[in-house]
Amino acid sequence: MNLPGFPVYRPRRLRSSPALRQLVCETRLSVEQLVLPLFVRSGKKLRRAIDAMPGVFQLSPDEILREAATAHALGVPAILLFGIPDKKNARASGAYAKNGIVQQTVRLLKKELPALLVITDVCLCEYMEHGHCGLVAHGKILNDPSLKLLAQTALSHAEAGADLIAPSDMMDGRVRAIRTALDKNHFTDTPIMSYAAKFASAFYGPFREVAESAPKFGDRRSYQMDAANANEALREVALDIAEGADIIMVKPALAYLDIVQRVKTEFGLPTAAYAVSGEHAMIKAAAANGWIDERAVTLESLLAMRRAGADILITYAAMDVARWLKKD
Ligand code: PBG
């Protein structure tokens, strides 16, 4: 870059008024880019607060509908739905039950709010008695036998009307298995948003309390990625694209912006960043103590994800952000 240098070039010239700063702003945040995660469990008028995540609730389907309608009215285009079943077992049968909690709720949402995009998280951990994302035998998480259940789960979501399918399990080959099952059943137009580079992260702590999905033994390091690995993240993404992923996700977001940037630069596909539960909880806790400005820190963090290359931002703060952006 050949800048004339001071005093000819003065960077402050373009910062002298709000209008000028807006004019030269390189990265914008808008409500169209937001996805709101929601947690559904059976019941009526149920709105159960979760200690670990202020502002996040376990909601019954009728309450999900209310929450989704509010988000939609604020301009949030999509929700990401997680299910908490009444019963768990060793085959995660609640995950692919035709009338499972997610399937019922998707039908309700698509009937009442057809224009709202409903993305479903496809995973088995919430439905397994041991809390792992695949079938378990002799203390090991089995890959290939789990694929069938994941594909069956994805298909049941598509049949219920899900607009996008988002597998988060990190089993090898699951995107192909899901794409094949969808295509065979005439869901060729249902896109897959894969959690392609999903790291084994301590930032998921609060989520596991909300989703009641903490593993009962061991951890997820044999299937989720090592936080140290960036090149491997690119291989994971390349594989998922080859298997049929339409949108790729990096998760967590803030501590992994280098991955977001490399993924976007290398592949150029629509890229999502998931600001996970621990990221949200840290901001909430610091703000509650008066140590940081919640609104400013939230917006700055999301802007950083956009700057790194994320097109889609999955955030528990989506509704607050939508309100803040409106006022500006
Ligand atoms: C399910 C799943 C998890 C998250 C999204 N899908 C938890 C995990 O992998 O243990 C985490 C989301 C968050 O922390 O907000 N596999």
Side-chain angles (χ1 to χ4, degrees), residues 35-105:
V35 176
L36 174 69
L38 291 174
F39 299 90
V40 65
R41 72 178 309 152
S42 65
K44 280 225 159 68
K45 293 201 183 329
L46 177 83
R47 207 175 167 80
R48 185 180 294 170
I50 303 296
D51 271 355
M53 284 185 78
V56 177
F57 302 86
Q58 293 180 344
L59 303 169
S60 51
D62 51 330
E63 289 291 319
I64 288 275
L65 185 57
R66 281 215 330 197
E67 198 83 345
T70 308
H72 193 45
L74 284 166
V76 175
I79 64 143
L80 172 60
L81 192 62
F82 293 91
I84 306 155
D86 290 333
K87 287 203 188 87
K88 300 172 191 273
N89 58 31
R91 295 196 53 78
S93 49
Y96 42 88
K98 285 234 177 312
N99 212 18
I101 187 67
V102 165
Q103 292 80 354
Q104 283 176 36
T105 309

Side-chain angles (χ1 to χ4, degrees), residues 82 121 123 125 133 168 195 198 203-204 207-208 220 224 251 274 276-277 316:
F82 293 91
D121 182 89
C123 197
C125 58
C133 305
S168 70
Y195 290 66
K198 177 174 176 180
F203 285 100
Y204 305 153
F207 171 96
R208 292 179 189 166
R220 304 211 201 283
Q224 298 181 350
K251 174 179 174 211
Y274 194 150
V276 300
S277 56
Y316 298 99

